[in-house]
Amino acid sequence: MRNDYLNQLKPNVSIVAEASASQLNLSELKPLDEEEKRSKIVNTVYNKKWPDGRIYGLSQDGSYTSHSVSPYSKFFLDNIEERIKPLIIALKEKGYLSLSSCEGHSIYFKRYVTLIFPSKETAVEFQSLFPFTKLKFELRHCTEVFNTSIESDAFGNILNSKKVFIGVQHEGAVRYINSIANRRYRDAWLLEMIISDKIHYSDGWGKYLKNWKEIVFRAFFIDAYTRRLTNHIRKHLKNNIY
């Protein structure tokens, strides 16, 4: 497979795709052009929901992987973990589209949502709309965040997804973001909205002592805090015009 923008997608969640080429008569199908393949990939899902509530996929070698599904896909909400879903819905209702998210699991996974913006300025403006001191933001250009390779056939059916770092050219990254967001942006910036950051591994009890405030927050307050953010979005944010 070529390492172009069709094969350079970013992790996220999923469920099960529509009929694959293996279920159809291949002789009756017409191979897709690159734009059609890109569109099908971002509207197709590769992962599944696991017993612990996490939603992700596995590469053919058994390693963790996943890819983003368009907010306009009929599978989109199936790809959002339950404890972050109301926030994602509130953002989407206001026109803010997510590329990836996680509700946070155990003490090691962060709760976050990554949003798509057409410029650095619009992303920074969005940050100013939240008077929440605990909330953190990380802003990166779209070329900095792709670390999953998707392999597909000529009909856009995903064959494998594997987590490897691949440098992405600007044009290809923006095309992929536009496919996800159904936009015609000339550039794309990704803003990670971090509700609760990940806790790094350390030896013994040191990780608990060092991160006790974050652990208490996750154990007792994180869901209430997420609801506050959700209500703030619904009540105070204007619709995104970009």
Side-chain angles (χ1 to χ4, degrees), residues 16-26 29 157:
V16 165
E18 296 176 346
S20 64
S22 61
Q23 298 172 294
L24 302 172
N25 186 346
L26 294 182
L29 295 177
N157 298 297

Side-chain angles (χ1 to χ4, degrees), residues 181-194:
N182 194 24
R183 297 292 190 270
R184 294 185 180 274
Y185 292 154
R186 295 181 180 179
D187 200 6
W189 288 78
L190 302 175
L191 182 67
E192 195 166 75
M193 185 178 183
I194 303 170

